[in-house]
Amino acid sequence: MAFALPTRNVMCGLAIAFAVTVTAAAAAPASAASGSRYSYARYTVRDHSYAFGQAPVFVPDGRVVVGKDFRDGKGMQVYISARDGSGRRCLTCDMPAPNNVPAVRPQGDWILFHSWKGHHLTIGSPGYGGMGSELWAMRPDGSHKVQLTGTDAAHGAGEGEDDYHAYWSPDGRRLVYAHLNWNFVTNGGQGKWDIRVADFVGRGHKPPHLAHVRVVRPANGHWYETQWWAPDGSGFLYTETWGAAVTPQLFFCRLTAKGCRTRQLTDFPAWNEQAVFTPDMKSVLFMSSRDHPGFFNTWADVAQAAGLTTDEDYLLILPVFEAAFLQPVAEEATDLYQLDLATGAMRRLTTDGNDGWIIPEFAWDPGYRHLWFTENRLPPGTRVGLPLDAVKQLQLTAQLLEHPPTPDFGHVLVLDAALPIEQRTRILEFKLPRHRHG
């Protein structure tokens, strides 16, 4: 589940480290014959001058497309702008809000986005998980909008269902996305997720549409979320709760004629989600809560020790997620990590979670030189983190009482009491030798 607004431990023990190493090495795509230069390259992380909304992506000319609510009465909409935020233009304001989570076709001729338009049963946020979201496409100027999923009246036109976290294949010919089905009236829904791949038919066809939609990961009660494709188009990364109840792990799906040949990439009791390959396909960058004590990591440890299974994750995922993130008590935080697929080496890339930040989706810019992401957190003083430092917490609470934040009722989660959400956009850059590009 992505960290929607509103509603989306270093390795410990030689046994766990060995298990992850073996699993990761076995999961390496064919091109990962040796360790990645990205795994030992120096890198920098810096703030960007302008704070985009969550999950910014790029068109080939370098402009940024993102979903954001500017509190101007238009609600959550999809915008395009320059990298400094200038020249901003709304692409979906001719549709009722919310519209969110854009994905740009590599050719730059279509922008996919997620919308609740036409649905009455809605939960969460379009594109981040919940209910009521369908896939739409439009031209980069916002014209020629067309609905791609939920168009089959024989299956309830998607009412009670959800399509989310969609990504284009590198050649722009396919889409991968996660699908939730609670439509028990006309589509046999049982509240379970699956993963689907579809062909995008655009050239010479008006309007464009999806064809050859196939389920490549089954509706088994586990929670799924799709991530970025491998650069060679052989498959994609995805998240699946695995091993213990509501414990997301990362996998790679190598597409076959029958679906997926899967390889597990992580095996650690933490929230492991959001993933992208480095350009050389030899390592994976991902987000994890593993170094931050909080509600979710406590849950993951207990679930693993108690032997709780993933069979009922379709009922547990939302309440556990809501209790763990963007709420003030024992909130979980996350950081970026890098896994070398050939050697199994793991390194932590950021320490932003130490200050309460949550890193959600991230994307490479067109030159594959910079990784962009927008972090979220509750303001210092509004959250009570673990382990508890009583003196520091009292000092922060006193400062909060002296300078209370303005409530933001547009970001109401189950437990956050309308506390405002802080955001900042960050850029990670690897310092690779100029004469050797990977």
Side-chain angles (χ1 to χ4, degrees), residues 63-416:
R63 288 179 296 167
V64 179
V65 184
V66 70
K68 189 167 184 176
D69 187 347
F70 286 94
R71 304 298 164 199
D72 56 3
K74 297 176 182 178
M76 181 68 72
Q77 299 287 2
V78 177
Y79 295 85
I80 189 169
S81 72
R83 294 192 186 198
D84 62 1
S86 63
R88 185 179 76 229
R89 187 161 61 88
C90 184
L91 301 180
T92 57
C93 285
D94 57 336
M95 294 175 62
N99 303 291
N100 204 359
V101 193
V104 180
R105 193 172 187 232
Q107 292 87 339
D109 55 348
W110 290 99
I111 297 176
L112 180 144
F113 65 99
H114 303 73
S115 179
W116 278 353
K117 183 180 179 181
H119 291 289
H120 303 286
L121 300 178
T122 57
I123 300 173
S125 183
Y128 290 134
M131 183 184 294
S133 174
E134 303 292 358
L135 306 185
W136 288 65
M138 61 182 168
R139 293 296 192 182
D141 62 359
S143 66
H144 296 85
K145 291 183 176 68
V146 60
Q147 188 174 350
L148 298 178
T149 62
T151 59
D152 184 359
H155 295 93
E159 197 69 69
E161 303 178 36
D162 196 78
D163 295 315
Y164 66 101
H165 238 247
Y167 288 89
W168 296 95
S169 62
D171 61 7
R173 296 180 179 179
R174 292 168 293 174
L175 289 171
V176 64
Y177 57 96
H179 177 79
L180 170 67
N181 184 11
W182 272 112
N183 181 4
F184 54 84
V185 177
T186 60
N187 199 20
Q190 296 179 325
K192 298 181 180 181
W193 292 268
D194 60 52
I195 293 180
R196 303 184 175 194
V197 172
D199 297 339
F200 178 75
V201 183
R203 178 175 295 180
H205 294 268
K206 296 182 180 180
H209 61 277
L210 299 184
H212 191 206
V213 180
R214 57 271 194 198
V215 174
V216 297
R217 286 295 296 152
N220 53 13
H222 302 183
W223 170 69
Y224 291 110
E225 184 179 84
T226 40
Q227 314 297 345
W228 288 93
W229 288 73
D232 66 356
S234 60
F236 55 87
L237 297 160
Y238 70 96
T239 305
E240 180 177 357
T241 51
W242 190 267
V246 194
T247 305
Q249 304 293 350
L250 291 175
F251 293 80
F252 176 69
C253 163
R254 182 176 295 280
L255 287 171
T256 67
K258 296 182 179 180
C260 283
R261 188 167 79 244
T262 62
R263 294 289 186 264
Q264 187 172 352
L265 301 182
T266 63
D267 185 10
F268 194 89
W271 191 283
N272 306 286
E273 191 195 7
Q274 315 297 351
V276 67
F277 281 97
T278 50
D280 63 1
M281 274 188 60
K282 295 182 179 181
S283 68
V284 169
L285 311 181
F286 69 101
M287 172 271 279
S288 179
S289 65
R290 63 186 59 205
D291 282 313
H292 300 291
F295 175 89
F296 181 78
N297 284 359
T298 301
W299 160 272
D301 287 335
V302 170
Q304 187 177 64
L308 300 179
T309 70
T310 57
D311 292 346
E312 279 74 43
D313 281 0
Y314 69 105
L315 299 174
L316 293 173
I317 186 69
L318 182 60
V320 171
F321 177 83
E322 289 278 22
F325 294 99
L326 290 176
Q327 53 80 24
V329 180
E331 182 196 23
E332 206 62 71
T334 67
D335 274 299
L336 283 179
Y337 293 80
Q338 181 175 15
L339 171 66
D340 191 294
L341 294 174
T343 68
M346 185 90 66
R347 70 167 170 169
R348 182 176 173 181
L349 298 175
T350 66
T351 57
D352 299 358
N354 294 348
D355 297 319
W357 291 101
I358 299 171
I359 300 176
E361 291 82 4
F362 33 84
W364 291 105
D365 63 12
Y368 290 91
R369 293 178 55 86
H370 307 95
L371 190 78
W372 292 60
F373 53 95
T374 297
E375 302 175 319
N376 310 305
R377 74 169 179 181
L378 295 174
T382 65
R383 58 189 298 270
V384 180
L386 297 179
L388 179 63
D389 184 332
V391 173
K392 181 179 180 181
Q393 190 62 51
L394 287 172
Q395 293 172 339
L396 291 172
T397 301
Q399 295 173 12
L400 179 68
L401 293 174
E402 291 178 6
H403 307 285
T406 302
D408 185 352
F409 293 100
H411 288 164
V412 180
L413 300 177
V414 173
L415 300 175
D416 70 2

